[in-house]
């Protein structure tokens, strides 16, 4: 399961600490990214890649601090994050290849 959260800058550190500090959510793959690179100012996206329990817990913890991103916006964010991840791996291939 994969979810994307959007959090305003003023709540980012608090939510990040909650997610990374939680025994369940911290087992998931968590990635944070500034929303400005997607054309949205003043906040961050957090991608949570994990099982149902980890993602549901992340949604519970973010309830008052952020919102779940859905639909087209979610697809755009995930596509760009995946593209950046692939470019990073290509760079490692040049180093270790």
């Amino acid at each position: 399961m994969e979810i994307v959260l959007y959090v305003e800058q003023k709540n980012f550190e608090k939510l990040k600490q909650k997610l990374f500090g939680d025994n369940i959510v911290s087992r998931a793959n968590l990635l944070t990214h500034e929303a400005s690179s997607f054309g949205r100012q003043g906040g961050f996206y957090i991608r949570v890649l994990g099982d149902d329990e980890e993602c549901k817990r992340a949604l519970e913890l973010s309830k008052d601090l952020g919102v779940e991103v859905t639909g087209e916006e979610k697809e755009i964010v995930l596509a760009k994050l995946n593209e950046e991840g692939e470019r990073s791996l290509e760079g490692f291939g040049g180093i270790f290849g």
Side-chain angles (χ1 to χ4, degrees):
M1 184 175 192
E2 188 170 33
I3 62 169
V4 177
L5 304 170
Y6 174 78
V7 59
E8 292 181 0
Q9 187 162 354
K10 66 181 180 180
N11 295 325
F12 175 67
E13 283 301 321
K14 186 173 183 178
L15 180 56
K16 188 172 98 171
Q17 288 176 1
K18 279 182 137 183
L19 296 176
F20 281 92
D22 186 80
N23 290 335
I24 295 171
V25 179
S26 63
R27 295 182 297 205
N29 182 324
L30 300 169
L31 177 68
T32 63
H33 204 287
E34 285 188 46
S36 61
S37 42
F38 298 95
R40 190 170 182 177
Q41 299 301 315
F44 291 84
Y45 287 109
I46 302 173
R47 186 200 68 189
V48 181
L49 179 60
D51 63 26
D52 286 347
E53 179 186 23
E54 294 160 351
C55 290
K56 286 178 184 176
R57 179 72 175 149
L59 287 172
E60 289 173 17
L61 292 173
S62 67
K63 188 174 85 172
D64 296 327
L65 298 171
V67 295
E68 182 178 11
V69 177
T70 59
E72 185 179 351
E73 182 181 6
K74 178 181 178 181
E75 297 307 316
I76 291 169
V77 170
L78 291 176
K80 184 161 184 169
L81 292 176
N82 289 334
E83 178 184 311
E84 288 180 3
E86 288 173 12
R87 282 198 313 255
S88 294
L89 289 176
E90 287 173 7
F92 281 117
I95 294 170
F96 297 111

